[in-house]
Amino acid sequence: MQSRTIHLMGTFITTSLDHPDGDQILAETKDRLYDYNQRFSANDETSLLMQINHSAGTRFIQVPEDLYTLIKIGKQASIDSHGALNIAIGPLIKQWHIGFKDAKVPSEEAIQEALSHIDPTKIELNDTERTVKLLDSGMEIDLGAIAKGYFADKILEFWEKRGVQRGLINLGGNVKVMGPSEHPDQLWRIGIQDPSKPRNTLLTSVMIQSGSVVTSGIYERSLTVNGQPYHHIFDGESGYPIHNDIASVTIIAPKSLTCEIWTTRLFASASATEALDRLNHLKMRGISGIIIDRDRKIYIADSLKG
């Protein structure tokens, strides 16, 4: 298989595939990933997404179909999840800015001010004109919780159109595969990070034929102040990082975007046990996965056992 690795979106992205024109397809894939990053980023003041944020409370912004589609999906998922997932959480994310050099614990006043501007129902969409307007001038959309999943799905759609029959994309914890692997049983082995150990230390792994495996964990980005650790997965009600016994959530589903949505939603569960119960109720949708708690105990969905 031909492979290429780039550093983008705050992580290392690896693309691998089998095709006679593999080098050309990988080069085009790289260009698409850079394009997605530039247009969808909440950390680039020149991105199309930031044009929407800068115009909050004033006017509609017309955007390309792919960005409009993701915002529309994200808005509905945010409303359905009752705060567990919220693409309007931008003001709160910027107050903490965990994962960046200026990360800090904001004042309670700053947190409450941010919380007053994160209502996803105030994202107004016009399907006919394909335009977006934020009705509150203090709002900002942040697609970080779902964008990588969308990118992975779009890249494999592109590969399929180019005739690729076997491939893998890994966007740092977000993996999607297509076709048979090179193992004799043709299954892909996807490692699950040990949340208490350094990066690339695996606790377990899963085997899949196709689809996506996405893991989100409290180890990915963190901040420690006065001995108190804070992670980057936030509670949209309190304005603070979610506090429970969950260390990581891994979701397995056909679509990577589906995985992204459910890793975030299940992280908001009261406990790892509750998250597992919710996960088991998703099996009819073709969704399964693994929960790991802070004591490294593994909770496996019924559909994966054996």
Side-chain angles (χ1 to χ4, degrees):
M1 293 178 71
Q2 302 104 311
S3 296
R4 180 169 296 188
T5 299
I6 60 174
H7 188 264
L8 191 67
M9 306 176 198
T11 190
F12 287 97
I13 299 176
T14 299
T15 50
S16 303
L17 54 80
D18 263 345
H19 193 275
D21 297 324
D23 289 337
Q24 177 62 34
I25 295 171
L26 288 174
E28 292 179 34
T29 298
K30 176 183 175 181
D31 290 342
R32 285 172 180 253
L33 288 168
Y34 273 95
D35 175 61
Y36 288 144
N37 184 60
Q38 195 282 323
R39 293 189 294 116
F40 289 61
S41 176
N43 300 307
D44 182 344
E45 293 296 322
T46 67
S47 72
L48 282 174
L49 178 63
M50 288 306 292
Q51 287 186 32
I52 297 171
N53 291 341
H54 291 323
S55 301
T58 62
R59 62 192 177 99
F60 280 94
I61 299 294
Q62 188 173 56
V63 296
E65 183 178 359
D66 52 4
L67 178 54
Y68 184 85
T69 297
L70 185 57
I71 291 173
K72 185 173 182 178
I73 292 170
K75 175 185 176 179
Q76 191 58 55
S78 299
I79 293 170
D80 292 344
S81 67
H82 306 291
L85 167 69
N86 187 353
I87 66 166
I89 204 169
L92 183 65
I93 298 297
K94 286 204 166 178
Q95 282 297 325
W96 289 83
H97 229 206
I98 292 178
F100 296 85
K101 291 181 180 179
D102 59 346
K104 65 183 184 301
V105 178
S107 67
E108 187 61 32
E109 292 77 15
I111 290 174
Q112 293 306 315
E113 171 64 18
L115 290 177
S116 70
H117 300 295
I118 64 169
D119 182 355
T121 66
K122 292 184 178 179
I123 302 172
E124 188 165 333
L125 304 173
N126 184 313
D127 290 349
T128 303
E129 300 293 331
R130 210 173 58 222
T131 54
V132 184
K133 180 181 179 181
L134 306 183
L135 300 182
D136 176 350
S137 61
M139 291 182 71
E140 289 194 34
I141 294 175
D142 188 319
L143 298 171
I146 58 175
K148 288 181 182 178
Y150 187 66
F151 299 160
D153 291 335
K154 297 293 285 185
I155 291 299
L156 263 71
E157 287 176 13
F158 162 61
W159 287 359
E160 287 177 353
K161 291 177 181 177
R162 291 296 300 268
V164 175
Q165 295 185 356
R166 172 165 57 199
L168 172 150
I169 181 168
N170 182 350
L171 296 99
N174 182 314
V175 178
K176 186 164 186 180
V177 299
M178 62 185 295
S181 80
E182 295 176 317
H183 290 278
D185 60 9
Q186 301 187 335
L187 298 176
W188 298 87
R189 275 77 170 163
I190 312 298
I192 310 299
Q193 170 72 32
D194 185 330
S196 65
K197 298 291 179 65
R199 176 75 66 174
N200 297 322
T201 304
L202 304 183
L203 181 59
T204 186
S205 64
V206 296
M207 294 187 294
I208 61 171
Q209 288 184 319
S210 62
S212 185
V213 179
V214 174
T215 299
S216 182
I218 60 175
Y219 54 85
E220 292 173 328
R221 296 195 301 275
S222 63
L223 167 70
T224 300
V225 177
N226 297 325
Q228 175 66 43
Y230 300 90
H231 60 77
H232 73 295
I233 305 171
F234 286 92
D235 178 347
E237 296 293 325
S238 71
Y240 287 84
I242 290 171
H243 183 69
N244 55 25
D245 66 341
I246 298 174
S248 73
V249 176
T250 297
I251 297 295
I252 305 165
K255 291 288 187 180
S256 194
L257 179 56
T258 301
C259 295
E260 292 273 30
I261 289 171
W262 281 103
T263 55
T264 304
R265 292 182 71 168
L266 292 183
F267 237 109
S269 303
S271 66
T273 301
E274 180 185 294
L276 179 65
D277 183 63
R278 295 175 65 193
L279 182 56
N280 282 330
H281 282 86
L282 294 172
K283 63 183 178 181
M284 296 303 292
R285 304 191 200 181
I287 299 172
S288 62
I290 293 172
I291 315 294
I292 301 175
D293 71 16
R294 296 185 187 226
D295 293 324
R296 299 175 71 245
K297 181 178 179 181
I298 302 174
Y299 300 75
I300 304 171
D302 291 343
S303 56
L304 286 182
K305 291 179 178 177

